[in-house]
Amino acid sequence: MKKDDIFEFYRRLAELNPDPETELEYGNVYQLLVAVTLSAQSTDVGVNKATKALFEKVKTPQDMLNLGHDALREHIKTIGLFNSKAKNVMAMAEILVRDFNGDVPADRDLLTTLPGVGRKTANVVMNCAFGAETFAVDTHIFRVGNRTGVAKGKTPLAVEKQLDKKTPHPFRVGSHHWMILHGRYICKARTPECWRCPVEDLCSYKSKSPAK
């Protein structure tokens, strides 16, 4: 996709949704970090259901330690991979209390040293909590980037680098939100709804879905 088309791509998505946000529900930076960690290979809806009661009790890493591993498992048992996620979240809380005075570091490299926190999770936290121009490439963004031609790449990191290179101001902070929402609700994996897509004319994908 050409430079002017990429600008127009984002402009249209921004016009429809001027203030895009993650669909994960949280009350502070620590809760965001926990929610994003739990969301790996799970839906935001499922995570929100599991964390609603959890976040009423847990607002800080120390709260998580006070809650304990078994109680955490009980709260998140409906989420995929809950056993390993519970271990990671507890280990993360211990490190945050011990090494960071209970605060979540505003540094992607430091975030990725925490148990269960990969580059994508760190990018989400940096973007949503600290307003950083990061691009968290999940399956939706990987698909949308390649399918539309906005950012092609064979790996999530390759797509991330293309997004970082090609996404213009003033769309850099909101970019990954617009793309994930577009992929979740319109540019779906199996049946993209091109008939109602606001950027269909800019996209390199040839629609196979019927008009409605």
Side-chain angles (χ1 to χ4, degrees):
M1 193 180 290
K2 296 179 181 178
K3 183 177 180 180
D4 289 346
D5 289 340
I6 292 175
F7 187 95
E8 180 63 12
F9 173 91
Y10 283 119
R11 189 199 68 77
R12 293 183 194 177
L13 296 183
E15 186 176 50
L16 293 171
N17 184 6
D19 300 302
E21 298 178 342
T22 177
E23 293 186 320
L24 290 170
E25 297 171 356
Y26 62 97
N28 59 36
V29 180
Y30 174 63
Q31 289 182 343
L32 171 65
L33 175 60
V34 172
V36 180
T37 301
L38 295 176
S39 71
Q41 300 182 49
S42 302
T43 66
D44 288 0
V45 172
V47 172
N48 289 338
K49 287 180 179 178
T51 57
K52 184 175 181 179
L54 174 66
F55 287 165
E56 291 177 359
K57 299 178 179 179
V58 174
K59 295 177 173 58
T60 68
Q62 186 61 57
D63 289 341
M64 187 67 77
L65 295 178
N66 294 342
L67 180 70
H69 178 267
D70 290 344
L72 173 60
R73 283 181 73 255
E74 190 64 23
H75 276 287
I76 67 171
K77 64 183 180 182
T78 57
I79 300 175
L81 306 175
F82 71 94
N83 280 314
S84 61
K85 289 177 180 178
K87 291 179 181 178
N88 285 334
V89 168
M90 294 306 299
M92 177 198 304
E94 184 177 347
I95 292 171
L96 289 174
V97 169
R98 185 188 68 211
D99 299 340
F100 297 97
N101 197 34
D103 296 324
V104 176
D107 182 292
R108 183 169 63 187
D109 292 338
L110 286 177
L111 285 170
T112 56
T113 66
L114 298 173
V117 179
R119 186 178 180 90
K120 183 186 75 173
T121 295
N123 278 338
V124 173
V125 173
M126 290 300 299
N127 181 273
C128 296
F130 304 114
E133 296 177 356
T134 53
F135 305 87
V137 180
D138 68 350
T139 56
H140 294 299
I141 296 176
F142 185 79
R143 179 177 67 256
V144 171
N146 277 286
R147 183 182 278 171
T148 61
V150 169
K152 292 187 175 183
K154 294 183 178 181
T155 66
L157 182 58
V159 171
E160 179 188 333
K161 289 181 177 179
Q162 285 296 304
L163 287 171
D164 193 15
K165 178 181 179 181
K166 295 181 177 180
T167 302
H169 293 287
F171 308 117
R172 293 179 62 81
V173 174
S175 170
H176 96 266
H177 293 296
W178 285 310
M179 293 193 76
I180 192 173
L181 294 172
H182 190 63
R184 183 173 290 165
Y185 296 112
I186 296 179
C187 195
K188 301 175 183 178
R190 294 187 178 181
T191 54
E193 298 180 2
C194 304
W195 53 273
R196 68 182 188 94
C197 176
V199 292
E200 189 271 339
D201 59 308
L202 304 172
C203 179
S204 61
Y205 180 73
K206 300 305 178 185
S207 173
K208 296 180 178 63
S209 58
K212 297 186 179 181

